[in-house]
Amino acid sequence: MKPVNVGLLGLGTVGGGTVNVLRRNAHEITRRAGRGIRVSCAAARDRPRDCNVEGIRFSRDPYSVVDDPDVQIVVELIGGVELARELILRAIANGRHVVTANKALIARHGNELFAAARARGVMVAFEAAVAGGIPIIKAIREGLAGNRIEWLAGIINGTCNYMLSAMREEGREFDEALAEAQRLGYAEADPAFDVDGIDAAHKLTILASIAFGIPLQFDRLHVEGIRYITRTDVVYAEELGYRIKHLGFARATAQGIELRVHPTLIPHRRLIANVDGVMNAVLVNGDAVGPTLYYGAGAGAEPTASAVVADLVDVVRVLTSDPENRVPHLAFQPDALADTPILPMEAVETAYYLRLQALDQPGVLADVTRILGERGISIEAMVQKEPAEGQDDVSVILLTHRVREGQMNDAIQHIERLQSVTAPVTRIRVEGLGR
Ligand code: HSE
């Protein structure tokens, strides 16, 4: 049988990796897919240096790829949102199947793209959009299809994880750690996407939809990055038996769904707390299976290509099957997506790590504990540190039991108004991640 022709948009890191993996593993891939898969044409701004483009028609015009009559599958690896959206909609209108690694695009416009794909009877596959090489979309959408997913928690931005690991293990400062992550090629073109949590929010949006069967709702997420995490907090958390991780967290509650991305203290004994460096991991708790953990490289040329090629194999396997019987984009049948509300952050319940800077004088702790007590906030642990050399204020670290975010916001406002409290309170949420 003739090989399937792929048109590639983008020949950067992941595009080059995809060409290389398809060539190197051609024999195995053909044995799996039942047909060969070859890149027949590609478009990119510049001719690539790191991959062998022999036999691939090269163009600088991406429309020549999506309009090519011989292409059956378009692989979009150019990133960005507007042009990618336009090209994919055109590929779909042309009846092409699509594979993309574009998390921002799926998180923001996936609902529109999937509707267009359904109407045209083509597939849009996006395994590479979340956690690079970890087959997490397939695991949740297919492998856990018998479960009610209760919650999931993911280290889904390698740059943040690399930076927090470097701050903990090597005493690095924020800027130094970021420069290193950029040098290694993990950071987004605009690293604010990483350190401000936007990249993780894109990925969590996608995970939550396939876990809970809800439409993609990027705008409803609560998003925090890691800019406010200091080396001091990393050390204090460690002393209390916790690691600080930048986590994407989604939980189904009776009132609605929590969707949030923020730094989180996790007990250090949890496996996921020990995922260090640029690696990603996603912990998924299903009612039947219990906790399951998926670990691997979340970025990089060939790990991401691994997911792109797996999607290509999936598409080739179902090229002839009835569109109605394909795996639905968001795991649940399109007409069975739920309108479960996304909870406002004030209604979310977690435990907290609080770090206060306060004058070392009588009555300060009494004021703080009174404010917490009046709002029903129970303290689990409290540590006061020696004042730093030449300073007359001290750090007070508090761990609280679970409380609604709204109550905690109110308590923090009152604590910050105390004369004796000398700086804004640092608040990091705590999740036990037990069953
Ligand atoms: N910038 C992303 C990260 C790359 O650091 O995880 C993969 O999406």
Side-chain angles (χ1 to χ4, degrees):
M1 223 192 253
K2 273 175 43 182
V4 173
N5 286 333
V6 170
L8 195 54
L9 299 171
L11 273 168
T13 309
V14 181
T18 300
V19 170
N20 290 340
V21 170
L22 279 172
R23 278 192 204 283
R24 191 174 70 237
N25 298 339
H27 182 62
E28 292 290 79
I29 290 166
T30 307
R31 286 175 61 213
R32 290 191 173 107
R35 288 175 72 176
I37 301 175
R38 69 176 197 112
V39 178
S40 58
C41 60
R45 265 198 300 251
D46 301 304
R47 276 197 170 273
R49 277 162 300 172
D50 298 339
C51 77
N52 174 1
V53 287
E54 207 186 307
I56 301 176
R57 253 176 305 118
F58 179 80
S59 162
R60 289 197 164 77
D61 173 18
Y63 289 92
S64 71
V65 170
V66 294
D67 291 339
D68 187 315
D70 293 330
V71 162
Q72 286 149 290
I73 309 172
V74 170
V75 176
E76 183 275 307
L77 302 172
I78 58 173
V81 174
E82 279 318 316
L83 179 60
R85 172 175 164 269
E86 222 174 87
L87 289 166
I88 290 183
L89 284 172
R90 182 135 154 187
I92 292 170
N94 288 343
R96 307 290 177 259
H97 301 281
V98 173
V99 172
T100 176
N102 194 329
K103 52 228 162 172
L105 179 68
I106 296 295
R108 290 168 190 267
H109 296 292
N111 298 323
E112 176 195 18
L113 299 179
F114 300 154
R118 271 195 311 277
R120 197 66 177 76
V122 297
M123 291 178 72
V124 174
F126 52 94
E127 181 64 70
V130 182
I134 307 175
I136 188 64
I137 304 283
K138 192 173 267 291
I140 299 177
R141 197 162 57 181
E142 298 174 48
L144 299 180
N147 287 261
R148 190 165 43 76
I149 307 294
E150 294 173 335
W151 54 262
L152 61 86
I155 295 175
I156 43 181
N157 184 267
T159 301
C160 285
N161 202 46
Y162 178 89
M163 293 174 64
L164 291 171
S165 302
M167 287 162 84
R168 185 177 69 81
E169 289 168 6
E170 297 158 29
R172 295 275 183 89
E173 293 303 336
F174 185 92
D175 292 342
E176 223 183 338
L178 176 57
E180 184 77 2
Q182 285 178 291
R183 195 181 59 73
L184 292 168
Y186 298 128
E188 296 299 305
D190 176 358
F193 267 51
D194 297 299
V195 295
D196 293 329
I198 299 159
D199 176 72
H202 288 145
K203 295 166 182 167
L204 184 70
T205 302
I206 299 171
L207 288 177
S209 285
I210 59 170
F212 304 124
I214 53 172
L216 296 149
Q217 295 168 75
F218 173 70
D219 295 339
R220 306 298 311 276
L221 260 76
H222 174 86
V223 186
E224 290 176 21
I226 61 166
R227 285 186 203 269
Y228 67 88
I229 301 297
T230 63
R231 163 114 187 96
T232 314
D233 294 312
V234 172
V235 171
Y236 290 167
E238 188 88 0
E239 286 174 12
L240 291 161
Y242 292 86
R243 299 261 164 90
I244 300 180
K245 292 290 176 193
H246 188 245
L247 223 59
F249 192 82
R251 173 165 35 213
T253 74
Q255 291 72 39
I257 292 170
E258 296 178 12
L259 280 183
R260 46 198 172 95
V261 168
H262 52 69
T264 310
L265 266 75
I266 307 173
H268 72 81
R269 64 180 184 282
R270 295 266 176 255
L271 271 180
I272 194 170
N274 293 280
V275 171
D276 286 322
V278 76
M279 300 307 276
N280 281 197
V282 184
L283 180 56
V284 186
N285 199 63
D287 69 328
V289 70
T292 55
L293 181 64
Y294 309 84
Y295 168 86
E302 292 214 354
T304 312
S306 161
V308 170
V309 174
D311 273 350
L312 282 170
V313 171
D314 267 359
V315 174
V316 171
R317 281 176 176 151
V318 299
L319 270 179
T320 51
S321 78
D322 164 10
E324 297 294 319
N325 288 316
R326 291 178 189 153
V327 179
H329 296 106
L330 293 179
F332 293 70
Q333 293 300 325
D335 57 2
L337 291 184
D339 57 2
T340 318
I342 308 299
L343 286 181
M345 202 55 194
E346 289 71 32
V348 163
E349 213 182 78
T350 72
Y352 290 85
Y353 161 103
L354 302 178
R355 177 167 57 80
L356 328 176
Q357 290 303 122
L359 297 177
D360 193 9
Q361 64 189 25
V364 176
L365 285 184
D367 285 340
V368 171
T369 51
R370 177 183 48 75
I371 290 172
L372 294 174
E374 282 171 358
R375 285 156 189 82
I377 302 173
S378 164
I379 297 168
E380 182 179 321
M382 183 158 69
V383 184
Q384 180 175 324
K385 296 287 177 182
E386 293 287 310
E389 186 83 7
Q391 292 196 349
D392 48 12
D393 61 350
V394 292
S395 294
V396 178
I397 319 300
L398 293 148
L399 283 184
T400 75
H401 287 287
R402 295 173 73 81
V403 56
R404 278 163 70 106
E405 177 108 354
Q407 295 286 89
M408 183 54 88
N409 291 343
D410 185 47
I412 289 176
Q413 265 183 22
H414 280 79
I415 291 171
E416 288 178 341
R417 276 188 216 137
L418 292 173
Q419 292 288 327
S420 49
V421 170
T422 57
V425 173
T426 295
R427 154 241 306 263
I428 309 176
R429 298 172 190 89
V430 181
E431 291 293 346
L433 302 186
R435 187 157 189 195

